[in-house]
Amino acid sequence: MTTLPPQCPERPSCRPGRGRRARRRPSVIRLVALALGAALFLGACAGGPAARPPAKPGDGQRPSPPSNRAAGIVGNDPVVYGFYTEPEPEAGLPGSFATMVRHARDLDVVVPFWFRLAESGDGTIEAYGAPPPPRRRQVIADAHRRGLKVELILHNLLYGSGDRSAATARRFLRDPRAQDRAIRGMLDLMRQEGYDGVHLDLETVPPEERPRLTAFVRKVREALPEGKLLSIAVFPRDRDDPTDPNAGAYDYAALGRAVDFFILMTYSEHRADTPPGPLASLDYVDRMVRYALRHVPREKVIVGLGAFGFDWGGDGLPRYLDHAQAVRLARERGVEVRWDDRARVPFFTYTGDDGSSHAVYFENGRSWAEKLDLVRRHRVRGVAIWRLGMEDPAGWREIARRLS
């Protein structure tokens, strides 16, 4: 992902535009693994995951056999991550809970966007955009009852304008005691609230901190109890530029060895701080995946799927839209949603009330289908959706068809 533009409001909906930036029905083996592991991995949720009907066999290529560690937790099928946020009424955006419940059959891991490093960088973990602890435990229990894993996120985002995320990361990674404090905090939260693993989303880390970031991820891996997942979100790239302010801090090969899942945030080709364009053209995603596969085992690679769009035009930042808002905007403006044959995404243009020219790019079921076909061709492990509740409902049919 990318850094926040200076004017970005402090809310999760800014996340995909920061800029220097079907649950597959489980197999019998997977159900047995879930049943055997319930007491160990889902102790915070009484009763463990509910069994679901076995799947119809898919007709696509399967990913390579996963590592034993991840397979013992989520099974051998393709993996679907869903990022989860609370409602954002000021932006007219729904929360993720209803989608998590409705499409639990098509999901495997949920990552609530609830925790970040304190800006001091001293390792304190603070709730951000999170409901109170009783509601958090209820969401986690509801996910567990549906057979889903829930990872605890740790991010360094949305402090406000400027390079504050980078400065926070630098302070944190240069202080071993801060790192130890953060790891203790994560382990405490996992015990208290019932998380099944950790998701690290450290972005715009200064490139010179690459060795320290890798060392921290290894420390987290070593500290996690047996049977807990570790995933990381990384800015995608198609070459290694150690000076790049977005991607330079990520040692793909070393991080790939340390984590269970390596999530490419392949939905930032054009962002809030760039000219209009597709958030993820098919060629862009293909190039990013091909590069990652040169350094990370394909059974660990997860491809990001954006569920959002941007309306560029007028002054200031573009407007952040979910799929329903984008389609409604086109209808209200009396314009047709068109298809970009080169990028393989939907878009439209219109003239604003002030005479300004607008361009809207977003994702829909058709564009997801083409990216899911790419996932199958490369035989990577699965996809990660930013974020649940913003997507075209037709996208879930494509997930069920292509990743079953």
Side-chain angles (χ1 to χ4, degrees), residues 364-384:
N364 63 10
R366 180 180 175 185
S367 64
W368 272 22
E370 301 210 10
K371 293 177 176 69
L372 290 164
D373 286 342
L374 183 150
V375 165
R376 293 203 306 180
R377 285 197 303 275
H378 286 300
R379 295 184 294 114
V380 296
R381 193 62 196 280
V383 296

Short mmCIF file of all heavy atoms in Angstrom, two decimals, residues 364-384:
data_model
loop_
_atom_site.label_atom_id
_atom_site.label_comp_id
_atom_site.label_asym_id
_atom_site.label_seq_id
_atom_site.Cartn_x
_atom_site.Cartn_y
_atom_site.Cartn_z
N ASN A 364 -15.48 -4.27 -10.21
CA ASN A 364 -16.77 -4.96 -10.14
C ASN A 364 -16.55 -6.47 -10.30
O ASN A 364 -15.40 -6.94 -10.35
CB ASN A 364 -17.74 -4.41 -11.19
CG ASN A 364 -17.27 -4.61 -12.63
OD1 ASN A 364 -16.30 -5.32 -12.89
ND2 ASN A 364 -17.99 -4.00 -13.55
N GLY A 365 -17.62 -7.21 -10.37
CA GLY A 365 -17.49 -8.66 -10.48
C GLY A 365 -16.71 -9.10 -11.69
O GLY A 365 -15.93 -10.06 -11.64
N ARG A 366 -16.88 -8.39 -12.81
CA ARG A 366 -16.16 -8.76 -14.03
C ARG A 366 -14.65 -8.54 -13.88
O ARG A 366 -13.86 -9.39 -14.29
CB ARG A 366 -16.70 -7.93 -15.20
CG ARG A 366 -16.03 -8.24 -16.53
CD ARG A 366 -16.62 -7.38 -17.64
NE ARG A 366 -15.92 -7.57 -18.91
CZ ARG A 366 -16.18 -6.88 -20.02
NH1 ARG A 366 -17.14 -5.97 -20.01
NH2 ARG A 366 -15.50 -7.12 -21.13
N SER A 367 -14.25 -7.40 -13.31
CA SER A 367 -12.82 -7.16 -13.14
C SER A 367 -12.22 -8.11 -12.11
O SER A 367 -11.07 -8.55 -12.25
CB SER A 367 -12.56 -5.70 -12.76
OG SER A 367 -13.13 -5.36 -11.51
N TRP A 368 -12.97 -8.43 -11.06
CA TRP A 368 -12.50 -9.44 -10.11
C TRP A 368 -12.33 -10.79 -10.79
O TRP A 368 -11.36 -11.50 -10.52
CB TRP A 368 -13.51 -9.57 -8.96
CG TRP A 368 -13.28 -8.63 -7.83
CD1 TRP A 368 -12.59 -7.45 -7.85
CD2 TRP A 368 -13.75 -8.81 -6.49
NE1 TRP A 368 -12.62 -6.87 -6.61
CE2 TRP A 368 -13.31 -7.67 -5.75
CE3 TRP A 368 -14.50 -9.77 -5.84
CZ2 TRP A 368 -13.60 -7.52 -4.40
CZ3 TRP A 368 -14.79 -9.62 -4.50
CH2 TRP A 368 -14.35 -8.50 -3.77
N ALA A 369 -13.26 -11.15 -11.66
CA ALA A 369 -13.18 -12.46 -12.32
C ALA A 369 -11.86 -12.59 -13.09
O ALA A 369 -11.21 -13.64 -13.05
CB ALA A 369 -14.36 -12.65 -13.26
N GLU A 370 -11.47 -11.53 -13.77
CA GLU A 370 -10.23 -11.61 -14.54
C GLU A 370 -9.01 -11.69 -13.63
O GLU A 370 -8.04 -12.40 -13.93
CB GLU A 370 -10.14 -10.41 -15.49
CG GLU A 370 -11.31 -10.38 -16.46
CD GLU A 370 -10.96 -9.76 -17.80
OE1 GLU A 370 -9.77 -9.53 -18.06
OE2 GLU A 370 -11.90 -9.51 -18.58
N LYS A 371 -9.05 -11.01 -12.51
CA LYS A 371 -7.95 -11.12 -11.55
C LYS A 371 -7.93 -12.49 -10.89
O LYS A 371 -6.85 -13.06 -10.61
CB LYS A 371 -8.05 -10.01 -10.52
CG LYS A 371 -7.82 -8.61 -11.10
CD LYS A 371 -8.01 -7.52 -10.08
CE LYS A 371 -7.69 -6.15 -10.66
NZ LYS A 371 -8.65 -5.71 -11.67
N LEU A 372 -9.09 -13.05 -10.62
CA LEU A 372 -9.14 -14.40 -10.04
C LEU A 372 -8.61 -15.43 -11.03
O LEU A 372 -7.94 -16.40 -10.62
CB LEU A 372 -10.58 -14.73 -9.63
CG LEU A 372 -11.10 -13.95 -8.43
CD1 LEU A 372 -12.62 -14.06 -8.33
CD2 LEU A 372 -10.45 -14.43 -7.13
N ASP A 373 -8.86 -15.24 -12.31
CA ASP A 373 -8.27 -16.14 -13.31
C ASP A 373 -6.75 -16.02 -13.30
O ASP A 373 -6.04 -17.02 -13.46
CB ASP A 373 -8.82 -15.81 -14.70
CG ASP A 373 -10.25 -16.29 -14.89
OD1 ASP A 373 -10.71 -17.15 -14.10
OD2 ASP A 373 -10.92 -15.79 -15.82
N LEU A 374 -6.25 -14.81 -13.09
CA LEU A 374 -4.81 -14.62 -12.99
C LEU A 374 -4.25 -15.35 -11.77
O LEU A 374 -3.19 -15.98 -11.83
CB LEU A 374 -4.51 -13.13 -12.93
CG LEU A 374 -3.06 -12.67 -12.89
CD1 LEU A 374 -2.93 -11.30 -13.55
CD2 LEU A 374 -2.52 -12.58 -11.47
N VAL A 375 -4.97 -15.27 -10.66
CA VAL A 375 -4.57 -15.99 -9.45
C VAL A 375 -4.45 -17.48 -9.73
O VAL A 375 -3.49 -18.15 -9.31
CB VAL A 375 -5.58 -15.71 -8.31
CG1 VAL A 375 -5.43 -16.70 -7.16
CG2 VAL A 375 -5.42 -14.28 -7.80
N ARG A 376 -5.42 -18.01 -10.45
CA ARG A 376 -5.37 -19.45 -10.78
C ARG A 376 -4.22 -19.77 -11.72
O ARG A 376 -3.54 -20.80 -11.55
CB ARG A 376 -6.69 -19.90 -11.39
CG ARG A 376 -7.86 -19.86 -10.42
CD ARG A 376 -8.97 -20.79 -10.82
NE ARG A 376 -9.43 -20.58 -12.18
CZ ARG A 376 -10.40 -21.29 -12.74
NH1 ARG A 376 -10.99 -22.26 -12.06
NH2 ARG A 376 -10.80 -21.04 -13.98
N ARG A 377 -3.99 -18.91 -12.71
CA ARG A 377 -2.90 -19.18 -13.65
C ARG A 377 -1.55 -19.22 -12.95
O ARG A 377 -0.69 -20.06 -13.27
CB ARG A 377 -2.86 -18.10 -14.75
CG ARG A 377 -3.95 -18.24 -15.79
CD ARG A 377 -3.62 -17.43 -17.03
NE ARG A 377 -3.41 -16.01 -16.78
CZ ARG A 377 -4.39 -15.11 -16.72
NH1 ARG A 377 -5.65 -15.48 -16.88
NH2 ARG A 377 -4.11 -13.83 -16.50
N HIS A 378 -1.35 -18.32 -12.00
CA HIS A 378 -0.07 -18.28 -11.29
C HIS A 378 -0.02 -19.27 -10.13
O HIS A 378 1.04 -19.42 -9.51
CB HIS A 378 0.19 -16.87 -10.78
CG HIS A 378 0.59 -15.90 -11.85
ND1 HIS A 378 1.70 -16.08 -12.64
CD2 HIS A 378 0.01 -14.75 -12.28
CE1 HIS A 378 1.80 -15.08 -13.49
NE2 HIS A 378 0.79 -14.25 -13.31
N ARG A 379 -1.14 -19.90 -9.82
CA ARG A 379 -1.21 -20.92 -8.76
C ARG A 379 -0.73 -20.37 -7.41
O ARG A 379 -0.07 -21.06 -6.64
CB ARG A 379 -0.43 -22.16 -9.16
CG ARG A 379 -1.01 -22.89 -10.37
CD ARG A 379 -0.27 -24.17 -10.71
NE ARG A 379 1.08 -23.90 -11.15
CZ ARG A 379 2.18 -24.27 -10.49
NH1 ARG A 379 2.08 -24.92 -9.35
NH2 ARG A 379 3.38 -24.00 -10.97
N VAL A 380 -1.09 -19.10 -7.14
CA VAL A 380 -0.78 -18.53 -5.84
C VAL A 380 -1.87 -18.94 -4.86
O VAL A 380 -2.87 -19.57 -5.23
CB VAL A 380 -0.61 -17.00 -5.90
CG1 VAL A 380 0.57 -16.65 -6.78
CG2 VAL A 380 -1.87 -16.32 -6.41
N ARG A 381 -1.70 -18.57 -3.58
CA ARG A 381 -2.53 -19.16 -2.54
C ARG A 381 -3.95 -18.61 -2.47
O ARG A 381 -4.88 -19.31 -2.05
CB ARG A 381 -1.84 -19.00 -1.18
CG ARG A 381 -2.47 -19.84 -0.08
CD ARG A 381 -2.37 -21.32 -0.41
NE ARG A 381 -3.27 -22.12 0.39
CZ ARG A 381 -3.03 -22.50 1.64
NH1 ARG A 381 -1.93 -22.14 2.26
NH2 ARG A 381 -3.90 -23.25 2.28
N GLY A 382 -4.14 -17.34 -2.82
CA GLY A 382 -5.49 -16.81 -2.71
C GLY A 382 -5.53 -15.31 -2.89
O GLY A 382 -4.68 -14.72 -3.54
N VAL A 383 -6.55 -14.69 -2.27
CA VAL A 383 -6.79 -13.26 -2.43
C VAL A 383 -7.10 -12.62 -1.08
O VAL A 383 -7.49 -13.31 -0.12
CB VAL A 383 -7.95 -12.97 -3.41
CG1 VAL A 383 -7.61 -13.46 -4.81
CG2 VAL A 383 -9.26 -13.59 -2.93
N ALA A 384 -6.94 -11.30 -1.01
CA ALA A 384 -7.28 -10.52 0.18
C ALA A 384 -8.08 -9.31 -0.27
O ALA A 384 -7.64 -8.56 -1.15
CB ALA A 384 -6.02 -10.08 0.92
#
